[in-house]
Amino acid sequence: MRHAKKPSTRRPATHRTSRAPARRVRLLGLVALAAVTALTLLMVYENGGTASSATGTGTGTGTGTGTDAHRRDATPRPQSSPSAPQSPPESTPPPSASATSSSTRGTNTFSTATASGKAVGKGTVRRYKVQVEHGTGLSVNGAAKEIDGILADPRGWTADGRNGFQLVSSGPYDFEVKIATPDTVDRICGAAGLHTRGEVNCDVGDQVIVNLKRWNTGSPQFSGPLHEYRALIINHEVGHRIGHGHETCPGPGRLAPAMMQQIDGLRGCRANAWPYDRHGTYLGGPSVA
């Protein structure tokens, strides 16, 4: 009698290679992930700590400290961020026909005006020369006559009854007014520790250094004629020479003092180039410490 075979207790054979492709896929995926991670870290390192594309940071225009620069303002201001909101500037007055140069670099040599004038004012009379840097395109005698007219104006410093001025071409003098290109202004003022950054003027030693850029283009904060802004430059710097410090706006709607750094903003005042009005009243404001 033939006995029926007992059912086998052995498990059917399985193909061990069936899982191998899946393992290889996972392994390749891990390798790829590791490669991407390494590449990302390399990009982070090369971009200075950020994986995003570099966007260059803007540098400040360096409008300086106002109409001029002084030793207490020697430390440059932090550079502005390109994303910082900017208030729209007022329109800059166009340069006059006699002021067409936009040079930033001159020769570091100067011509002295041969023009001279009569003494104006009372009290201490300060003699001054006018010089213009070669390469600016300005007439040195033309500039001297304009400055002479500013200092002789009845709204100027002679209205105080204690100060006078005289344009001279030779002999002893008390100070010089030099009109120079921005690079030369930076060099002269920087030697005294003043940071004009190619934008503003300075008063150093026996020199009033006028930035050609300001002389030719005025200021975005000053809406008057270019000649008036030139008067502000001269009155402000000469004001320092005769002992005046900085002042600020005396109140909304009033005329800004000539000793206010108006290029920094008018703070509610109206632009003004003169220390006195036509009636001899001083147009001052609170002192700035």
Side-chain angles (χ1 to χ4, degrees), residues 69 71 74 182-197 202-205 207 209:
R71 284 180 178 81
D183 283 358
T184 300
V185 172
D186 288 351
R187 179 181 59 80
I188 297 174
C189 300
L194 306 178
H195 295 269
T196 48
R197 297 180 289 279
C202 81
D203 175 33
V204 57
Q207 302 173 100
I209 310 298

Side-chain angles (χ1 to χ4, degrees), residues 124-177:
T124 302
V125 176
R126 292 173 172 83
R127 292 162 57 92
Y128 67 95
K129 292 181 178 180
V130 172
Q131 295 186 329
V132 170
E133 185 178 11
H134 295 129
T136 61
L138 294 181
S139 162
V140 62
N141 283 329
K145 291 177 181 178
E146 188 166 3
I147 293 168
D148 181 48
I150 292 168
L151 290 177
D153 193 288
R155 297 167 293 171
W157 291 115
T158 59
D160 65 8
R162 301 187 303 274
N163 290 283
F165 307 95
Q166 184 177 10
L167 172 65
V168 298
S169 59
S170 61
Y173 61 91
D174 295 286
F175 65 95
E176 296 173 323
V177 179

